[in-house]
Amino acid sequence: MSKKRYNKNNIKRMRKKLRDGQDLPPMNRKNRPMSNLEQMVADILDGMKVEYEREKPLKYINGYRYYDFCLFEYSILIEVDGEYWHAKRGKPSYTILMAKKNDYVKNWLAKKEGYSLIRIKESQLKEEHSLIGEIISEEIKKNLKKLS
């Protein structure tokens, strides 16, 4: 019997083969606890009596990009941008630059898949809480006109 040796590269190659051979569904992130900001947006959506799906995955290259909320009846995605990842203060760090790159990819992917994307900043959510519902309502009305 010949003994097969496995090194990191062989294991990576085998995992890639397995992944490519199977069309695996995206990871279920819906059970992940919501952040305080996401909870505030969920409360607004519940108050508006709008049905939504949390952690909506969209396929992108070898994986998925996840959006905080999806209003599936209206083809609207909502992203809540917290200050920690999306801060614009001082010299940009690697983390902030990577978050910005991820945001550009998500913007493009949402548009490509036919969704409208609403980005809500932490400062908006805390200072202009009542306006968030109006912004979402306006986008719903816009998309209803497109759909009809």
Side-chain angles (χ1 to χ4, degrees):
M1 266 198 195
S2 70
K3 196 172 188 182
K4 219 173 190 183
R5 295 200 178 237
Y6 296 103
N7 61 27
K8 285 183 183 179
N9 289 332
N10 285 342
I11 291 172
K12 278 183 185 178
R13 217 179 358 239
M14 287 191 311
R15 283 184 182 159
K16 185 173 178 0
K17 251 188 206 179
L18 283 172
R19 260 196 316 266
D20 293 345
Q22 303 169 351
D23 191 21
L24 295 175
M27 184 174 79
N28 186 358
R29 292 177 38 162
K30 291 177 177 80
N31 297 330
R32 184 181 66 86
M34 280 195 243
S35 70
N36 293 340
L37 300 174
E38 290 172 347
Q39 186 62 56
M40 290 169 78
V41 173
D43 291 343
I44 291 170
L45 293 172
D46 289 338
M48 295 171 65
K49 302 208 182 335
V50 175
E51 288 186 38
Y52 60 89
E53 179 184 342
R54 283 191 56 234
E55 298 297 329
K56 171 71 175 166
L58 290 182
K59 185 126 177 77
Y60 177 71
I61 304 178
N62 292 336
Y64 291 87
R65 290 289 194 253
Y66 293 87
Y67 295 83
D68 295 330
F69 297 96
C70 175
L71 312 182
F72 44 87
E73 290 178 37
Y74 311 106
S75 297
I76 297 174
L77 296 170
I78 299 175
E79 271 293 294
V80 182
D81 296 336
E83 293 290 321
Y84 181 81
W85 297 105
H86 303 273
K88 291 184 180 174
R89 56 190 141 84
K91 189 176 177 184
S93 68
Y94 176 77
T95 306
I96 292 171
L97 292 174
M98 291 310 292
K100 192 172 275 203
K101 176 187 168 205
N102 188 45
D103 290 348
Y104 285 130
V105 169
K106 282 184 163 187
N107 293 347
W108 171 82
L109 186 59
K111 189 174 183 178
K112 177 182 161 274
E113 295 293 329
Y115 288 95
S116 297
L117 180 64
I118 300 173
R119 287 200 168 272
I120 301 172
K121 295 184 172 135
E122 181 175 352
S123 57
Q124 270 184 308
L125 201 52
K126 289 184 175 177
E127 295 165 11
E128 305 161 356
H129 189 269
S130 58
L131 290 177
I132 302 300
E134 291 175 28
I135 292 169
I136 294 170
S137 295
E138 286 175 25
E139 197 64 37
I140 287 173
K141 287 176 190 171
K142 254 196 264 181
N143 281 19
L144 281 176
K145 287 179 186 175
K146 283 183 197 175
L147 296 173
S148 57

